[in-house]
Amino acid sequence: MEYYNVIIDSLIDTARLIPFLFAVHLLINFLEVRKTGKIKRGILQSRFAPLFGTGLALLPQCGFSVVAGELYSKKLVTAGTLVAVFIATSDEALPILIGEAAADPSAWAATGILIGIKVIMALTAGYGVELICGIRRRVKNPSAATEKTEELATEDEPHGDEHSHEHDGEYLHAHEHGCCGHSIGEEHGKGVFSKYFAHPIIHTCWITLFVFIVNLALGTVIFFVKEDNFRAFMDSGTYIQPLVAVLIGLIPNCASSVMITELFAGGALTLGAAVAGLAVNAGLGMAVLIKENKNAKQNALIIGGIVLFATAVGYALTPLGAIV
């Protein structure tokens, strides 16, 4: 096979994803501009907050993880909700997986299993952290357990800035920054094209470029190494994959989720490794948490806990790699 066939195959594999990527980004942008992303303040303080956060984080963007990091730094959400959002966030994984499944229906099962596992992980970790923090507060200060303001804190030390997040009445804007941090609202533009189509087109182009680069790089490696040798190498490193995937997932860029997802869809990455990598891939959320929340101890506990949990689950799932 000539090398130009690798380029052509990479272009074809990438092109088939474009309609799905654009459709998803168009929908997300519409929700942002129409401000249907407003969330009621009471929801942030309820026992359903981790569940609500997990549901929002499943949307294919990292905007909610960014917002969650900011809200946590202002003591408007608990650590449990933050952890649930971070783990559930998959950035660009979902539209890519849907695109792959649309081209190959047999991939739907693997896609459903991967997303389902991430949901279970997010809810388990989120409510687990809520339980631990609740017990800790009651032990430290029993009288504070019934005070609403204390329920939002996870440590005695202040999170940082005490002022409230911008809100209209009882609502907060969940999409103040939109996906990948772009501004929305009045600054987004007054024309129909600027409001609804400009960013989805730009974002789709960027993600398409990332996907093409990953496809081309993987195709080049397989071309020169030979597919049989490449598969044998990946199989021999099965138990290293979750750790490598976690390190890639921690990169605060959508390119990392693209790489993990493409490798998984191509069969080069096991289910356990893909789950581990995507569970720590909160987009820019962790970077925003470190920047906005001045309590370094809290940041280290949250991020370190997610990394350890994701890695453990990844290794627990690794034996299933031959099944899924």
Side-chain angles (χ1 to χ4, degrees):
M1 182 179 72
E2 300 294 336
Y3 182 71
Y4 71 83
N5 288 329
V6 174
I7 300 176
I8 294 176
D9 289 342
S10 298
L11 286 171
I12 293 174
D13 290 342
T14 303
R16 70 184 185 183
L17 297 177
I18 294 176
F20 300 96
L21 291 173
F22 179 68
V24 170
H25 292 138
L26 189 64
L27 175 61
I28 295 300
N29 193 70
F30 176 81
L31 294 176
E32 288 174 343
V33 173
R34 301 302 299 176
K35 290 186 171 53
T36 53
K38 286 184 179 180
I39 54 179
K40 198 168 184 178
R41 293 174 63 84
I43 294 177
L44 298 176
Q45 304 169 12
S46 75
R47 70 185 64 182
F48 299 107
L51 176 62
F52 184 72
T54 297
L56 289 177
L58 288 176
L59 294 174
Q61 55 146 305
C62 64
F64 284 111
S65 67
V66 170
V67 172
E70 291 183 340
L71 293 180
Y72 178 76
S73 71
K74 297 172 174 62
K75 299 202 294 186
L76 289 170
V77 297
T78 61
T81 300
L82 179 70
V83 167
V85 170
F86 277 4
I87 293 177
T89 298
S90 297
D91 214 351
E92 300 301 330
L94 189 57
I96 293 176
L97 289 171
I98 291 176
E100 295 286 352
D104 179 12
S106 64
W108 280 113
T111 297
I113 291 173
L114 190 153
I115 299 301
I117 291 174
K118 275 175 55 67
V119 169
I120 293 173
M121 288 176 64
L123 294 176
T124 300
Y127 280 107
V129 171
E130 292 285 272
L131 179 62
I132 294 171
C133 290
I135 294 174
R136 182 177 179 181
R137 285 197 298 274
R138 285 193 291 272
V139 171
K140 277 190 169 185
N141 189 359
S143 63
T146 57
E147 296 179 13
K148 189 173 182 179
T149 55
E150 290 295 319
E151 289 177 357
L152 295 177
T154 58
E155 297 283 345
D156 286 339
E157 302 92 336
H159 287 268
D161 189 1
E162 296 293 330
H163 69 274
S164 176
H165 197 273
E166 266 185 54
H167 64 278
D168 297 325
E170 296 183 346
Y171 292 86
L172 289 164
H173 290 282
H175 292 291
E176 180 176 294
H177 297 281
C179 68
C180 70
H182 71 285
S183 61
I184 60 177
E186 295 300 325
E187 303 88 352
H188 201 74
K190 295 183 179 180
V192 173
F193 180 82
S194 297
K195 274 189 176 183
Y196 298 107
F197 294 97
H199 182 74
I201 291 175
I202 294 172
H203 201 153
T204 298
C205 289
W206 274 113
I207 299 304
T208 299
L209 177 62
F210 287 140
V211 170
F212 173 70
I213 291 174
V214 171
N215 279 333
L216 182 61
L218 184 59
T220 300
V221 170
I222 293 175
F223 177 79
F224 287 105
V225 176
K226 305 305 179 185
E227 185 169 359
D228 290 342
N229 294 333
F230 178 76
R231 296 292 178 184
F233 172 76
M234 294 301 294
D235 289 340
S236 66
T238 295
Y239 284 92
I240 300 297
Q241 288 189 18
L243 182 59
V244 174
V246 165
L247 294 177
I248 295 174
L250 286 171
I251 299 173
N253 190 293
C254 53
S256 56
S257 65
V258 171
M259 179 178 294
I260 293 170
T261 308
E262 284 291 302
L263 289 174
F264 173 68
L269 210 60
T270 63
L271 173 67
V275 167
L278 292 177
V280 301
N281 186 248
L284 296 173
M286 290 184 180
V288 169
L289 174 67
I290 294 173
K291 176 179 179 296
E292 298 294 331
N293 187 38
K294 306 307 178 184
N295 193 318
K297 179 182 176 182
Q298 288 176 355
N299 296 340
L301 285 173
I302 290 170
I303 296 175
I306 292 175
V307 169
L308 289 176
F309 181 54
T311 303
V313 172
Y315 277 109
L317 293 172
T318 296
L320 298 177
I323 300 175
V324 179

